[in-house]
Amino acid sequence: MDMAFDALTDASDEALLVAYGNGDREAAALLTARLSPRVMGFAARMLGGDRHEAEDVTQEAMLRLWKIAPEWRQGEAKVTTWLYRVTSNLCTDRLRKKRAVDIDTIPEPADDAPGAAAGMIEADRARALQAALDALPERQRIAVTLRHLEDRTNPEIAEVLEISVEAVESLTARGKRALAALLSHRREELGYVED
Amino acid sequence: MSKTEHTMIDDAALEAFFVAARSEAPAPSDALMARIMADAEAEARARETSTVVARPVRPVRPGLIAAVIGALGGWPAVAGMVTATVAGAWFGFAAPDEVNSLAGGLLNIDSAATATMYQLEDIVPGGTGLAAILEEGA
């Protein structure tokens, strides 16, 4: 099934995946452009910001998508939900192989550079958030990342984690409280000023 | 959670960190995208070649006719032969001009196409042998 290019750019993820399953390479190119940044962003958050590991996971997750394309049943699940679930599982597998972080331990700030009250740069805050994310239990990390960094809805996150929406809300709330606690130690260094 | 002298940051403050993190999202490298596309190509190609499978052997029908047809190469071959035979008979009987030209003007001697392509002597064998000797004498 060959679609005209302008029809392709408007096509849903699902339509593109089915087209690729029938051999349409352009559909695969579009899916790669659309979806690999999402997978990469999520994987990097889960894996402590390690780009190399995140790229490995991204490639593996997309490969699984290519393999399942001919069997994809339309209207059952969203392609992104499926991909996030695969990525989540790949990440937790990798993390399990490393030592678990003790959630009662507040990590030392990775960066001791004076944070200058004058203007915080986004990069410092982003790094601080990543360090705090690294300290969260995996499922809280998944929930908070998908909700607040990948902008997914609670129902979709529930499908990714295969739990109820209430459970997602609980995970997200606990995760945010933990992040706030971790980040509050560095408030002044990070230039957060109360008015 | 450990006690801290700092006041806990609130949702709005936390949101500032989220905003920063979103703007600094790690993006896939061009090399990674190329590898992903290469995987897509490999998978598609593997599927395409694996669909070319050998046709299953047609079961032999019982009986003599079936045996003969089997010897001739099965019904499709027999059907082709029948078609060719019928077509040949038809072309010989009423060759359309186009077919006549293609056949070198030899199918339908009386047709106009034949007249333009050949002199009568060309069609009638006579250039060699006894005819040649006889002609010399004419």
Side-chain angles (χ1 to χ4, degrees):
Chain A
M1 170 177 148
D2 267 12
M3 296 159 88
F5 188 69
D6 45 357
L8 272 180
T9 51
D10 287 335
S12 69
D13 292 344
E14 210 169 46
L16 288 175
L17 188 61
V18 169
Y20 164 70
N22 289 320
D24 187 340
R25 269 59 163 188
E26 273 187 40
L30 265 178
L31 280 173
T32 301
R34 274 190 203 174
L35 299 177
S36 55
R38 293 192 170 286
V39 176
M40 176 75 183
F42 177 46
R45 308 290 179 207
M46 290 304 300
L47 299 171
D50 185 331
R51 282 195 62 95
H52 183 77
E53 287 231 57
E55 290 213 339
D56 277 357
V57 164
T58 302
Q59 188 175 357
E60 178 61 33
M62 294 300 290
L63 178 61
R64 294 188 187 194
L65 186 68
W66 302 144
K67 286 183 186 293
I68 204 151
E71 297 155 36
W72 186 268
R73 296 214 289 261
Q74 295 200 61
E76 284 195 358
K78 282 170 60 179
V79 174
T80 49
T81 307
W82 187 91
L83 255 188
Y84 279 127
R85 192 187 304 149
V86 166
T87 307
S88 167
N89 292 337
L90 287 170
C91 289
T92 51
D93 284 349
R94 289 200 176 212
L95 291 168
R96 234 155 252 152
K97 291 174 182 157
K98 308 183 183 183
R99 187 172 309 145
V101 175
D102 183 354
I103 60 169
D104 291 323
T105 308
I106 307 297
E108 294 299 320
D111 185 10
D112 278 346
M120 178 70 234
I121 57 176
E122 295 285 77
D124 286 350
R125 282 201 181 136
R127 263 197 296 277
L129 182 69
Q130 184 62 58
L133 275 173
D134 293 349
L136 290 186
E138 280 160 23
R139 288 160 73 77
Q140 288 179 23
R141 195 183 317 168
I142 294 169
V144 171
T145 300
L146 288 177
R147 184 79 187 84
H148 293 285
L149 297 177
E150 295 295 316
D151 204 33
R152 313 320 291 177
T153 63
N154 284 340
E156 183 171 12
I157 301 171
E159 274 194 66
V160 170
L161 286 169
E162 296 177 288
I163 58 178
S164 70
V165 171
E166 293 76 22
V168 170
E169 287 164 355
S170 168
L171 274 176
T172 315
R174 282 182 286 153
K176 283 171 68 176
R177 277 199 298 275
L179 287 178
L182 291 162
L183 291 167
S184 66
H185 288 267
R186 304 195 54 206
R187 263 173 72 241
E188 276 123 39
E189 297 162 29
L190 297 167
Y192 176 67
V193 177
E194 265 176 317
D195 20 16
Chain B
M1 269 182 264
S2 307
K3 293 224 167 90
T4 172
E5 285 149 2
H6 306 278
T7 52
M8 195 69 80
I9 63 174
D10 62 10
D11 255 11
L14 190 54
E15 184 60 28
F17 286 95
F18 288 142
V19 166
R22 270 180 245 138
S23 70
E24 298 280 317
S29 63
D30 288 345
L32 173 63
M33 309 268 266
R35 289 197 294 275
I36 292 170
M37 272 309 302
D39 286 344
E41 176 61 39
E43 285 301 309
R45 203 176 299 150
R47 280 193 287 266
E48 280 154 10
T49 54
S50 74
T51 54
V52 178
V53 292
R55 287 190 178 281
V57 175
R58 192 182 299 273
V60 177
R61 296 189 190 130
L64 177 62
I65 293 177
V68 170
I69 289 166
L72 289 172
W75 281 111
V78 172
M81 285 163 51
V82 170
T83 305
T85 306
V86 169
W90 176 252
F91 290 143
F93 174 70
D97 246 20
E98 301 76 45
V99 177
N100 190 18
S101 303
L102 282 172
L106 295 172
L107 272 179
N108 188 350
I109 303 290
D110 291 332
S111 87
T114 307
T116 59
M117 290 171 79
Y118 296 102
Q119 300 303 309
L120 184 63
E121 301 88 280
D122 296 331
I123 300 168
V124 175
T128 60
L130 186 62
I133 297 168
L134 288 174
E135 264 195 343
E136 276 180 358

